[in-house]
Amino acid sequence: MYPKAYIDYLLHFHTDRDYFECHEILEEYWKKETPEDRQQVWVALIQIAVALYHHRRQNWNGAERMMRKALLLAHKEQEAIEKLGLDFPALVQQLEKRIKDIEHRLPYESMNLPIKDATLFEMCQNLCKQLQLQWGKESDLCNEYVLHKHKLRDRTNVIEERERQKRIREKKERG
């Protein structure tokens, strides 16, 4: 019914609060589609996770910019958001509140996405039990790896891919 990547996103979003991983999971899923088939609803969800990642790290400008983009895109993707089992009006309300919190430099607090589909919520709860995870857990603000994952993760694959793309461009330029 729902893509596995979306379920994985929801689990990370609501358990370990690893927003960077949320971003990675959905971006990989989104990129599997051809550019003309890519659904923008995934970008909105990615932007929410990235905004929370920045907020938690007190990157106020990045958090506000990303949350505003997420809100704008959410409005454009209302139908798709609802098809993903989320309560659209409640989501908009949460994003607007989070923008105000960021504007006022209020400290990060974990948030839960408003899941409206009872079946989806039950599925996530059952997975949490199986994996021994706690749904709705507050973010661990002392977990340096989760807080600064973009700096601490192994970037070998990213660097290799950039080099590969660079070689492809150079080859095309040489003709």
Side-chain angles (χ1 to χ4, degrees):
M1 181 173 181
Y2 295 105
K4 181 183 181 319
Y6 179 53
I7 302 299
D8 291 344
Y9 170 94
L10 291 174
L11 287 179
H12 281 289
F13 196 99
H14 294 97
T15 61
D16 59 10
R17 306 294 181 173
D18 189 341
Y19 302 123
F20 191 88
E21 192 63 26
C22 290
H23 160 268
E24 294 288 292
I25 289 167
L26 279 191
E27 184 177 62
E28 184 177 322
Y29 177 75
W30 180 74
K31 283 184 173 180
K32 285 181 181 176
E33 297 295 326
T34 59
E36 58 274 1
D37 292 330
R38 290 182 179 159
Q39 297 178 42
Q40 293 302 297
V41 68
W42 303 122
V43 176
L45 293 173
I46 290 166
Q47 289 172 336
I48 292 168
V50 171
L52 293 171
Y53 182 81
H54 287 312
H55 187 184
R56 188 169 52 195
R57 299 181 71 250
Q58 297 181 352
N59 174 354
W60 305 109
N61 291 335
E64 184 177 348
R65 183 174 51 254
M66 256 318 113
M67 197 60 79
R68 286 187 185 285
K69 285 182 177 184
L71 179 60
L72 183 66
L73 194 49
H75 279 291
K76 293 178 182 176
E77 294 295 320
Q78 178 177 350
E79 184 179 335
I81 286 171
E82 290 172 345
K83 283 183 180 177
L84 288 174
L86 299 177
D87 181 332
F88 178 76
L91 178 63
V92 166
Q93 187 176 28
Q94 283 183 319
L95 299 180
E96 288 172 345
K97 181 193 179 307
R98 190 55 62 122
I99 289 169
K100 287 179 182 161
D101 290 351
I102 293 166
E103 286 174 339
H104 292 99
R105 305 298 192 249
L106 296 179
Y108 162 86
E109 291 179 3
S110 298
M111 73 178 254
N112 294 324
L113 295 172
I115 298 175
K116 189 175 183 178
D117 180 347
T119 304
L120 173 61
F121 187 74
E122 185 178 336
M123 181 190 319
C124 290
Q125 295 298 306
N126 289 337
L127 276 171
C128 281
K129 286 177 188 169
Q130 289 173 16
L131 300 170
Q132 298 181 333
L133 299 171
Q134 181 185 346
W135 184 269
K137 179 180 160 187
E138 280 300 313
S139 181
D140 178 2
L141 297 176
C142 296
N143 185 333
E144 291 294 315
Y145 183 69
V146 171
L147 290 175
H148 307 292
K149 196 168 186 177
H150 75 286
K151 292 180 180 179
L152 303 175
R153 68 190 166 110
D154 178 7
R155 301 190 70 233
T156 305
N157 291 344
V158 173
I159 293 166
E160 288 173 354
E161 179 61 19
R162 282 186 188 157
E163 287 299 317
R164 189 179 79 77
Q165 292 297 328
K166 182 179 174 185
R167 287 191 300 274
I168 290 170
R169 281 193 308 274
E170 288 172 351
K171 188 176 180 179
K172 285 181 181 177
E173 287 173 4
R174 287 190 299 253

PDB file of all heavy atoms in Angstrom, residues 88-115:
ATOM      1  N   PHE A  88      -3.580  16.613   6.322  1.00  0.00           N
ATOM      2  CA  PHE A  88      -3.012  17.811   5.706  1.00  0.00           C
ATOM      3  C   PHE A  88      -3.180  19.072   6.557  1.00  0.00           C
ATOM      4  O   PHE A  88      -2.200  19.774   6.805  1.00  0.00           O
ATOM      5  CB  PHE A  88      -3.569  18.026   4.291  1.00  0.00           C
ATOM      6  CG  PHE A  88      -3.040  19.265   3.644  1.00  0.00           C
ATOM      7  CD1 PHE A  88      -1.760  19.301   3.141  1.00  0.00           C
ATOM      8  CD2 PHE A  88      -3.818  20.415   3.574  1.00  0.00           C
ATOM      9  CE1 PHE A  88      -1.247  20.466   2.561  1.00  0.00           C
ATOM     10  CE2 PHE A  88      -3.330  21.568   2.996  1.00  0.00           C
ATOM     11  CZ  PHE A  88      -2.036  21.594   2.494  1.00  0.00           C
ATOM     12  N   PRO A  89      -4.394  19.419   7.025  1.00  0.00           N
ATOM     13  CA  PRO A  89      -4.524  20.648   7.830  1.00  0.00           C
ATOM     14  C   PRO A  89      -3.652  20.618   9.091  1.00  0.00           C
ATOM     15  O   PRO A  89      -3.040  21.628   9.449  1.00  0.00           O
ATOM     16  CB  PRO A  89      -6.015  20.695   8.186  1.00  0.00           C
ATOM     17  CG  PRO A  89      -6.689  19.879   7.133  1.00  0.00           C
ATOM     18  CD  PRO A  89      -5.714  18.800   6.774  1.00  0.00           C
ATOM     19  N   ALA A  90      -3.569  19.466   9.735  1.00  0.00           N
ATOM     20  CA  ALA A  90      -2.739  19.367  10.940  1.00  0.00           C
ATOM     21  C   ALA A  90      -1.261  19.522  10.600  1.00  0.00           C
ATOM     22  O   ALA A  90      -0.505  20.158  11.344  1.00  0.00           O
ATOM     23  CB  ALA A  90      -2.986  18.038  11.646  1.00  0.00           C
ATOM     24  N   LEU A  91      -0.843  18.970   9.458  1.00  0.00           N
ATOM     25  CA  LEU A  91       0.550  19.107   9.035  1.00  0.00           C
ATOM     26  C   LEU A  91       0.889  20.570   8.772  1.00  0.00           C
ATOM     27  O   LEU A  91       1.921  21.074   9.233  1.00  0.00           O
ATOM     28  CB  LEU A  91       0.826  18.262   7.790  1.00  0.00           C
ATOM     29  CG  LEU A  91       2.257  18.367   7.241  1.00  0.00           C
ATOM     30  CD1 LEU A  91       3.276  17.846   8.243  1.00  0.00           C
ATOM     31  CD2 LEU A  91       2.361  17.623   5.911  1.00  0.00           C
ATOM     32  N   VAL A  92       0.021  21.258   8.046  1.00  0.00           N
ATOM     33  CA  VAL A  92       0.249  22.676   7.749  1.00  0.00           C
ATOM     34  C   VAL A  92       0.356  23.468   9.058  1.00  0.00           C
ATOM     35  O   VAL A  92       1.247  24.309   9.217  1.00  0.00           O
ATOM     36  CB  VAL A  92      -0.867  23.240   6.838  1.00  0.00           C
ATOM     37  CG1 VAL A  92      -0.840  24.761   6.789  1.00  0.00           C
ATOM     38  CG2 VAL A  92      -0.728  22.654   5.433  1.00  0.00           C
ATOM     39  N   GLN A  93      -0.530  23.186   9.974  1.00  0.00           N
ATOM     40  CA  GLN A  93      -0.507  23.870  11.272  1.00  0.00           C
ATOM     41  C   GLN A  93       0.826  23.624  11.997  1.00  0.00           C
ATOM     42  O   GLN A  93       1.423  24.554  12.539  1.00  0.00           O
ATOM     43  CB  GLN A  93      -1.674  23.389  12.126  1.00  0.00           C
ATOM     44  CG  GLN A  93      -1.841  24.146  13.419  1.00  0.00           C
ATOM     45  CD  GLN A  93      -3.086  23.671  14.171  1.00  0.00           C
ATOM     46  OE1 GLN A  93      -3.516  22.522  14.046  1.00  0.00           O
ATOM     47  NE2 GLN A  93      -3.668  24.562  14.939  1.00  0.00           N
ATOM     48  N   GLN A  94       1.306  22.398  11.971  1.00  0.00           N
ATOM     49  CA  GLN A  94       2.588  22.077  12.607  1.00  0.00           C
ATOM     50  C   GLN A  94       3.749  22.814  11.940  1.00  0.00           C
ATOM     51  O   GLN A  94       4.624  23.335  12.627  1.00  0.00           O
ATOM     52  CB  GLN A  94       2.862  20.573  12.548  1.00  0.00           C
ATOM     53  CG  GLN A  94       2.090  19.763  13.531  1.00  0.00           C
ATOM     54  CD  GLN A  94       2.466  18.295  13.448  1.00  0.00           C
ATOM     55  OE1 GLN A  94       2.652  17.745  12.352  1.00  0.00           O
ATOM     56  NE2 GLN A  94       2.586  17.658  14.599  1.00  0.00           N
ATOM     57  N   LEU A  95       3.751  22.835  10.617  1.00  0.00           N
ATOM     58  CA  LEU A  95       4.842  23.491   9.898  1.00  0.00           C
ATOM     59  C   LEU A  95       4.829  24.997  10.154  1.00  0.00           C
ATOM     60  O   LEU A  95       5.889  25.611  10.338  1.00  0.00           O
ATOM     61  CB  LEU A  95       4.767  23.185   8.405  1.00  0.00           C
ATOM     62  CG  LEU A  95       4.891  21.706   8.010  1.00  0.00           C
ATOM     63  CD1 LEU A  95       4.806  21.553   6.500  1.00  0.00           C
ATOM     64  CD2 LEU A  95       6.133  21.069   8.571  1.00  0.00           C
ATOM     65  N   GLU A  96       3.645  25.598  10.160  1.00  0.00           N
ATOM     66  CA  GLU A  96       3.544  27.042  10.440  1.00  0.00           C
ATOM     67  C   GLU A  96       4.036  27.352  11.852  1.00  0.00           C
ATOM     68  O   GLU A  96       4.740  28.339  12.061  1.00  0.00           O
ATOM     69  CB  GLU A  96       2.105  27.513  10.246  1.00  0.00           C
ATOM     70  CG  GLU A  96       1.692  27.560   8.790  1.00  0.00           C
ATOM     71  CD  GLU A  96       0.215  27.849   8.559  1.00  0.00           C
ATOM     72  OE1 GLU A  96      -0.593  27.742   9.523  1.00  0.00           O
ATOM     73  OE2 GLU A  96      -0.137  28.176   7.410  1.00  0.00           O
ATOM     74  N   LYS A  97       3.671  26.510  12.812  1.00  0.00           N
ATOM     75  CA  LYS A  97       4.132  26.714  14.188  1.00  0.00           C
ATOM     76  C   LYS A  97       5.648  26.571  14.263  1.00  0.00           C
ATOM     77  O   LYS A  97       6.326  27.359  14.917  1.00  0.00           O
ATOM     78  CB  LYS A  97       3.481  25.712  15.142  1.00  0.00           C
ATOM     79  CG  LYS A  97       3.943  25.926  16.589  1.00  0.00           C
ATOM     80  CD  LYS A  97       3.572  24.774  17.488  1.00  0.00           C
ATOM     81  CE  LYS A  97       4.038  24.953  18.900  1.00  0.00           C
ATOM     82  NZ  LYS A  97       5.449  25.243  19.070  1.00  0.00           N
ATOM     83  N   ARG A  98       6.177  25.580  13.565  1.00  0.00           N
ATOM     84  CA  ARG A  98       7.625  25.359  13.598  1.00  0.00           C
ATOM     85  C   ARG A  98       8.369  26.544  12.989  1.00  0.00           C
ATOM     86  O   ARG A  98       9.401  26.951  13.500  1.00  0.00           O
ATOM     87  CB  ARG A  98       7.965  24.062  12.866  1.00  0.00           C
ATOM     88  CG  ARG A  98       9.387  23.589  13.022  1.00  0.00           C
ATOM     89  CD  ARG A  98       9.841  23.431  14.463  1.00  0.00           C
ATOM     90  NE  ARG A  98       9.085  22.453  15.192  1.00  0.00           N
ATOM     91  CZ  ARG A  98       9.594  21.380  15.784  1.00  0.00           C
ATOM     92  NH1 ARG A  98      10.878  21.147  15.720  1.00  0.00           N
ATOM     93  NH2 ARG A  98       8.820  20.569  16.446  1.00  0.00           N
ATOM     94  N   ILE A  99       7.823  27.137  11.934  1.00  0.00           N
ATOM     95  CA  ILE A  99       8.444  28.320  11.337  1.00  0.00           C
ATOM     96  C   ILE A  99       8.503  29.451  12.367  1.00  0.00           C
ATOM     97  O   ILE A  99       9.536  30.110  12.520  1.00  0.00           O
ATOM     98  CB  ILE A  99       7.708  28.751  10.047  1.00  0.00           C
ATOM     99  CG1 ILE A  99       7.972  27.738   8.929  1.00  0.00           C
ATOM    100  CG2 ILE A  99       8.119  30.160   9.619  1.00  0.00           C
ATOM    101  CD1 ILE A  99       7.091  27.906   7.699  1.00  0.00           C
ATOM    102  N   LYS A 100       7.417  29.663  13.088  1.00  0.00           N
ATOM    103  CA  LYS A 100       7.396  30.713  14.122  1.00  0.00           C
ATOM    104  C   LYS A 100       8.408  30.408  15.229  1.00  0.00           C
ATOM    105  O   LYS A 100       9.109  31.310  15.706  1.00  0.00           O
ATOM    106  CB  LYS A 100       5.994  30.863  14.710  1.00  0.00           C
ATOM    107  CG  LYS A 100       5.038  31.540  13.763  1.00  0.00           C
ATOM    108  CD  LYS A 100       3.648  31.664  14.342  1.00  0.00           C
ATOM    109  CE  LYS A 100       2.744  32.311  13.296  1.00  0.00           C
ATOM    110  NZ  LYS A 100       1.354  32.092  13.539  1.00  0.00           N
ATOM    111  N   ASP A 101       8.486  29.145  15.630  1.00  0.00           N
ATOM    112  CA  ASP A 101       9.463  28.756  16.648  1.00  0.00           C
ATOM    113  C   ASP A 101      10.881  29.069  16.182  1.00  0.00           C
ATOM    114  O   ASP A 101      11.698  29.581  16.947  1.00  0.00           O
ATOM    115  CB  ASP A 101       9.359  27.254  16.956  1.00  0.00           C
ATOM    116  CG  ASP A 101       8.097  26.875  17.706  1.00  0.00           C
ATOM    117  OD1 ASP A 101       7.352  27.785  18.150  1.00  0.00           O
ATOM    118  OD2 ASP A 101       7.848  25.656  17.842  1.00  0.00           O
ATOM    119  N   ILE A 102      11.155  28.759  14.933  1.00  0.00           N
ATOM    120  CA  ILE A 102      12.488  29.004  14.376  1.00  0.00           C
ATOM    121  C   ILE A 102      12.747  30.501  14.289  1.00  0.00           C
ATOM    122  O   ILE A 102      13.832  30.966  14.654  1.00  0.00           O
ATOM    123  CB  ILE A 102      12.635  28.314  13.002  1.00  0.00           C
ATOM    124  CG1 ILE A 102      12.603  26.788  13.178  1.00  0.00           C
ATOM    125  CG2 ILE A 102      13.913  28.755  12.305  1.00  0.00           C
ATOM    126  CD1 ILE A 102      12.399  26.018  11.885  1.00  0.00           C
ATOM    127  N   GLU A 103      11.769  31.261  13.821  1.00  0.00           N
ATOM    128  CA  GLU A 103      11.923  32.722  13.737  1.00  0.00           C
ATOM    129  C   GLU A 103      12.261  33.317  15.104  1.00  0.00           C
ATOM    130  O   GLU A 103      13.043  34.263  15.195  1.00  0.00           O
ATOM    131  CB  GLU A 103      10.627  33.363  13.236  1.00  0.00           C
ATOM    132  CG  GLU A 103      10.359  33.172  11.776  1.00  0.00           C
ATOM    133  CD  GLU A 103       8.988  33.711  11.366  1.00  0.00           C
ATOM    134  OE1 GLU A 103       8.083  33.871  12.220  1.00  0.00           O
ATOM    135  OE2 GLU A 103       8.835  33.987  10.165  1.00  0.00           O
ATOM    136  N   HIS A 104      11.657  32.761  16.161  1.00  0.00           N
ATOM    137  CA  HIS A 104      11.873  33.267  17.519  1.00  0.00           C
ATOM    138  C   HIS A 104      13.039  32.571  18.220  1.00  0.00           C
ATOM    139  O   HIS A 104      13.246  32.769  19.416  1.00  0.00           O
ATOM    140  CB  HIS A 104      10.588  33.141  18.345  1.00  0.00           C
ATOM    141  CG  HIS A 104       9.513  34.054  17.868  1.00  0.00           C
ATOM    142  ND1 HIS A 104       8.486  33.627  17.054  1.00  0.00           N
ATOM    143  CD2 HIS A 104       9.326  35.387  18.063  1.00  0.00           C
ATOM    144  CE1 HIS A 104       7.696  34.657  16.772  1.00  0.00           C
ATOM    145  NE2 HIS A 104       8.183  35.732  17.363  1.00  0.00           N
ATOM    146  N   ARG A 105      13.772  31.755  17.451  1.00  0.00           N
ATOM    147  CA  ARG A 105      14.952  31.064  17.971  1.00  0.00           C
ATOM    148  C   ARG A 105      14.628  30.190  19.182  1.00  0.00           C
ATOM    149  O   ARG A 105      15.421  30.068  20.113  1.00  0.00           O
ATOM    150  CB  ARG A 105      16.087  32.032  18.312  1.00  0.00           C
ATOM    151  CG  ARG A 105      16.546  32.951  17.193  1.00  0.00           C
ATOM    152  CD  ARG A 105      17.092  32.141  16.021  1.00  0.00           C
ATOM    153  NE  ARG A 105      17.794  32.966  15.053  1.00  0.00           N
ATOM    154  CZ  ARG A 105      17.337  33.215  13.825  1.00  0.00           C
ATOM    155  NH1 ARG A 105      16.167  32.762  13.446  1.00  0.00           N
ATOM    156  NH2 ARG A 105      18.054  33.924  12.979  1.00  0.00           N
ATOM    157  N   LEU A 106      13.459  29.576  19.152  1.00  0.00           N
ATOM    158  CA  LEU A 106      13.082  28.660  20.231  1.00  0.00           C
ATOM    159  C   LEU A 106      13.823  27.342  20.026  1.00  0.00           C
ATOM    160  O   LEU A 106      14.074  26.933  18.890  1.00  0.00           O
ATOM    161  CB  LEU A 106      11.575  28.434  20.250  1.00  0.00           C
ATOM    162  CG  LEU A 106      10.725  29.670  20.553  1.00  0.00           C
ATOM    163  CD1 LEU A 106       9.240  29.310  20.524  1.00  0.00           C
ATOM    164  CD2 LEU A 106      11.103  30.279  21.891  1.00  0.00           C
ATOM    165  N   PRO A 107      14.156  26.668  21.096  1.00  0.00           N
ATOM    166  CA  PRO A 107      14.907  25.418  20.957  1.00  0.00           C
ATOM    167  C   PRO A 107      14.107  24.350  20.225  1.00  0.00           C
ATOM    168  O   PRO A 107      12.881  24.341  20.265  1.00  0.00           O
ATOM    169  CB  PRO A 107      15.199  24.991  22.394  1.00  0.00           C
ATOM    170  CG  PRO A 107      14.443  25.882  23.279  1.00  0.00           C
ATOM    171  CD  PRO A 107      13.899  27.026  22.477  1.00  0.00           C
ATOM    172  N   TYR A 108      14.836  23.468  19.604  1.00  0.00           N
ATOM    173  CA  TYR A 108      14.258  22.338  18.884  1.00  0.00           C
ATOM    174  C   TYR A 108      13.445  21.473  19.843  1.00  0.00           C
ATOM    175  O   TYR A 108      13.845  21.227  20.980  1.00  0.00           O
ATOM    176  CB  TYR A 108      15.379  21.502  18.256  1.00  0.00           C
ATOM    177  CG  TYR A 108      14.936  20.121  17.876  1.00  0.00           C
ATOM    178  CD1 TYR A 108      14.337  19.883  16.651  1.00  0.00           C
ATOM    179  CD2 TYR A 108      15.076  19.060  18.766  1.00  0.00           C
ATOM    180  CE1 TYR A 108      13.898  18.616  16.312  1.00  0.00           C
ATOM    181  CE2 TYR A 108      14.642  17.787  18.435  1.00  0.00           C
ATOM    182  CZ  TYR A 108      14.055  17.577  17.207  1.00  0.00           C
ATOM    183  OH  TYR A 108      13.615  16.321  16.887  1.00  0.00           O
ATOM    184  N   GLU A 109      12.325  21.000  19.362  1.00  0.00           N
ATOM    185  CA  GLU A 109      11.529  19.969  20.025  1.00  0.00           C
ATOM    186  C   GLU A 109      11.135  18.968  18.958  1.00  0.00           C
ATOM    187  O   GLU A 109      10.818  19.343  17.828  1.00  0.00           O
ATOM    188  CB  GLU A 109      10.257  20.554  20.646  1.00  0.00           C
ATOM    189  CG  GLU A 109      10.489  21.458  21.824  1.00  0.00           C
ATOM    190  CD  GLU A 109       9.180  22.020  22.382  1.00  0.00           C
ATOM    191  OE1 GLU A 109       8.089  21.659  21.873  1.00  0.00           O
ATOM    192  OE2 GLU A 109       9.257  22.823  23.303  1.00  0.00           O
ATOM    193  N   SER A 110      11.121  17.704  19.316  1.00  0.00           N
ATOM    194  CA  SER A 110      10.708  16.675  18.366  1.00  0.00           C
ATOM    195  C   SER A 110       9.253  16.901  17.977  1.00  0.00           C
ATOM    196  O   SER A 110       8.469  17.415  18.771  1.00  0.00           O
ATOM    197  CB  SER A 110      10.858  15.292  18.993  1.00  0.00           C
ATOM    198  OG  SER A 110      12.203  15.041  19.321  1.00  0.00           O
ATOM    199  N   MET A 111       8.918  16.515  16.765  1.00  0.00           N
ATOM    200  CA  MET A 111       7.528  16.589  16.321  1.00  0.00           C
ATOM    201  C   MET A 111       7.149  15.270  15.680  1.00  0.00           C
ATOM    202  O   MET A 111       8.008  14.552  15.173  1.00  0.00           O
ATOM    203  CB  MET A 111       7.300  17.761  15.355  1.00  0.00           C
ATOM    204  CG  MET A 111       7.853  17.594  13.960  1.00  0.00           C
ATOM    205  SD  MET A 111       7.499  18.998  12.873  1.00  0.00           S
ATOM    206  CE  MET A 111       6.234  18.318  11.816  1.00  0.00           C
ATOM    207  N   ASN A 112       5.875  14.955  15.743  1.00  0.00           N
ATOM    208  CA  ASN A 112       5.350  13.767  15.089  1.00  0.00           C
ATOM    209  C   ASN A 112       4.492  14.200  13.918  1.00  0.00           C
ATOM    210  O   ASN A 112       3.710  15.147  14.039  1.00  0.00           O
ATOM    211  CB  ASN A 112       4.515  12.942  16.066  1.00  0.00           C
ATOM    212  CG  ASN A 112       5.354  12.368  17.183  1.00  0.00           C
ATOM    213  OD1 ASN A 112       6.505  11.988  16.987  1.00  0.00           O
ATOM    214  ND2 ASN A 112       4.782  12.291  18.366  1.00  0.00           N
ATOM    215  N   LEU A 113       4.663  13.532  12.813  1.00  0.00           N
ATOM    216  CA  LEU A 113       3.814  13.818  11.668  1.00  0.00           C
ATOM    217  C   LEU A 113       2.398  13.346  11.988  1.00  0.00           C
ATOM    218  O   LEU A 113       2.218  12.296  12.611  1.00  0.00           O
ATOM    219  CB  LEU A 113       4.344  13.116  10.418  1.00  0.00           C
ATOM    220  CG  LEU A 113       5.711  13.603   9.935  1.00  0.00           C
ATOM    221  CD1 LEU A 113       6.223  12.726   8.813  1.00  0.00           C
ATOM    222  CD2 LEU A 113       5.644  15.049   9.495  1.00  0.00           C
ATOM    223  N   PRO A 114       1.385  14.111  11.568  1.00  0.00           N
ATOM    224  CA  PRO A 114       0.001  13.744  11.898  1.00  0.00           C
ATOM    225  C   PRO A 114      -0.522  12.640  10.981  1.00  0.00           C
ATOM    226  O   PRO A 114      -1.086  12.897   9.923  1.00  0.00           O
ATOM    227  CB  PRO A 114      -0.754  15.060  11.695  1.00  0.00           C
ATOM    228  CG  PRO A 114       0.030  15.763  10.631  1.00  0.00           C
ATOM    229  CD  PRO A 114       1.462  15.390  10.861  1.00  0.00           C
ATOM    230  N   ILE A 115      -0.321  11.412  11.403  1.00  0.00           N
ATOM    231  CA  ILE A 115      -0.760  10.264  10.609  1.00  0.00           C
ATOM    232  C   ILE A 115      -2.256  10.067  10.839  1.00  0.00           C
ATOM    233  O   ILE A 115      -2.699   9.843  11.960  1.00  0.00           O
ATOM    234  CB  ILE A 115       0.036   8.995  10.975  1.00  0.00           C
ATOM    235  CG1 ILE A 115       1.515   9.220  10.648  1.00  0.00           C
ATOM    236  CG2 ILE A 115      -0.523   7.785  10.226  1.00  0.00           C
ATOM    237  CD1 ILE A 115       2.422   8.088  11.077  1.00  0.00           C
TER     238      ILE A 115
END
